[in-house]
């Protein structure tokens, strides 16, 4: 269970600036304040990593650039439709990054990397698929509903869909890993697998 919480913590930290922006926007309905503070949090997180001389992972860089890029365009346009469509752009960018083979390794404990690296690759691709589906769904909801309906629906969907995917991925990898450990099996050579 400790590994589940550690992986969840890393994922939340990577998405903190984006989640902070969304929560602040839903609470205040102030686009400028939400964007600026989300951007400040994203910069502060990377600055903290630099100050501690910790490596900065691809997902962390991607999160920062998305927050800065999308935030800047939002500030320039002040267009609520852009705010509503912006998550689709973010979902697509995240989905593309998640197509990188092995991106999940940062979130996995050493035993999982040893026992289920092949399953982690499949789960990583499933995450990417979820991001692309979420992008399409967001466009449909943003173009067909008002801002209040969109923000409620997509906030609930966003949290629930990611939590369900996280729990399913964790349960599948843990179950297969446990079975392989008990059987003394190791996955075939992951480098030789298509991907």
């Amino acid at each position: 269970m400790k590994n589940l919480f550690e992986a969840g913590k890393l994922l939340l930290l990577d998405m903190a600036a984006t989640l902070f922006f969304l929560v602040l926007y839903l609470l205040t309905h102030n686009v400028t304040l939400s964007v600026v503070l989300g951007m400040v949090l994203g910069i502060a997180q990377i600055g903290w990593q630099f100050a501690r001389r910790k490596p900065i992972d691809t997902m962390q860089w991607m999160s920062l650039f998305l927050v800065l890029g999308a935030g800047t365009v939002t500030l320039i346009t002040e267009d609520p439709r852009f705010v509503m469509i912006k998550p689709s752009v973010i979902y697509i960018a995240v989905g593309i990054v998640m197509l990188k083979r092995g991106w999940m390794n940062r979130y996995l404990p050493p035993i999982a990397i040893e026992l289920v690296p092949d399953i982690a690759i499949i789960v990583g691709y499933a995450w990417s698929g979820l991001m692309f589906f979420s992008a399409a769904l967001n466009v449909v909801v943003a173009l067909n509903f008002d801002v209040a309906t969109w923000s409620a629906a997509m906030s609930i969907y966003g949290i629930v869909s990611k939590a369900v995917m996280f729990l399913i991925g964790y349960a599948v990898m843990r179950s297969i890993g446990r079975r392989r450990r008990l059987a003394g099996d190791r996955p075939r050579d992951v480098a030789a697998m298509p991907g």
Side-chain angles (χ1 to χ4, degrees), residues 7 11 21 32 34 39 52 59 82-84 108 117 133 143 160 170 175 188-189 195:
L11 190 58
F21 161 79
T32 303
S34 303
M39 292 167 73
R52 295 175 48 213
M59 292 294 283
F82 178 76
V83 171
M84 293 168 71
L108 300 176
F133 176 79
L143 295 177
V160 171
Y170 179 82
S175 172
R188 60 192 168 125
D189 183 15

Side-chain angles (χ1 to χ4, degrees), residues 24-62:
L24 196 57
Y25 177 70
L26 291 173
L27 292 173
T28 66
H29 301 288
N30 185 327
V31 174
T32 303
L33 176 68
S34 303
V35 167
V36 169
L37 291 180
M39 292 167 73
V40 167
L41 178 59
I43 292 167
Q45 284 181 290
I46 295 296
W48 180 250
Q49 290 290 92
F50 270 126
R52 295 175 48 213
R53 292 195 162 105
K54 298 281 186 176
I56 300 168
D57 193 67
T58 304
M59 292 294 283
Q60 292 170 297
W61 281 117
M62 186 220 43

Side-chain angles (χ1 to χ4, degrees), residues 36-173:
V36 169
L37 291 180
M39 292 167 73
V40 167
L41 178 59
I43 292 167
Q45 284 181 290
I46 295 296
W48 180 250
Q49 290 290 92
F50 270 126
R52 295 175 48 213
R53 292 195 162 105
K54 298 281 186 176
I56 300 168
D57 193 67
T58 304
M59 292 294 283
Q60 292 170 297
W61 281 117
M62 186 220 43
S63 180
L64 175 66
F65 290 128
L66 286 174
V67 167
L68 294 178
T72 300
V73 174
T74 300
L75 290 173
I76 291 169
T77 64
E78 293 186 28
D79 182 357
R81 286 284 165 198
F82 178 76
V83 171
M84 293 168 71
I85 296 297
K86 181 173 70 173
S88 291
V89 176
I90 293 170
Y91 279 133
I92 290 168
V94 170
I96 290 168
V97 170
M98 286 179 168
L99 286 173
K100 180 183 177 199
R101 183 184 173 105
W103 72 266
M104 285 191 64
N105 289 345
R106 176 176 190 261
Y107 305 99
L108 300 176
I111 189 71
I113 293 171
E114 178 186 339
L115 292 173
V116 291
D118 52 335
I119 305 305
I121 290 169
I122 294 167
V123 171
Y125 291 144
W127 269 101
S128 180
L130 176 65
M131 295 300 112
F132 292 128
F133 176 79
S134 299
L137 179 64
N138 184 69
V139 168
V140 169
V141 174
L143 295 177
N144 291 296
F145 296 95
D146 62 30
V147 176
T149 303
W150 165 82
S151 67
M154 292 312 295
S155 296
I156 293 167
Y157 166 80
I159 292 167
V160 171
S161 65
K162 276 62 166 185
V164 168
M165 178 64 82
F166 181 80
L167 293 172
I168 289 171
Y170 179 82
V172 167
M173 287 190 284

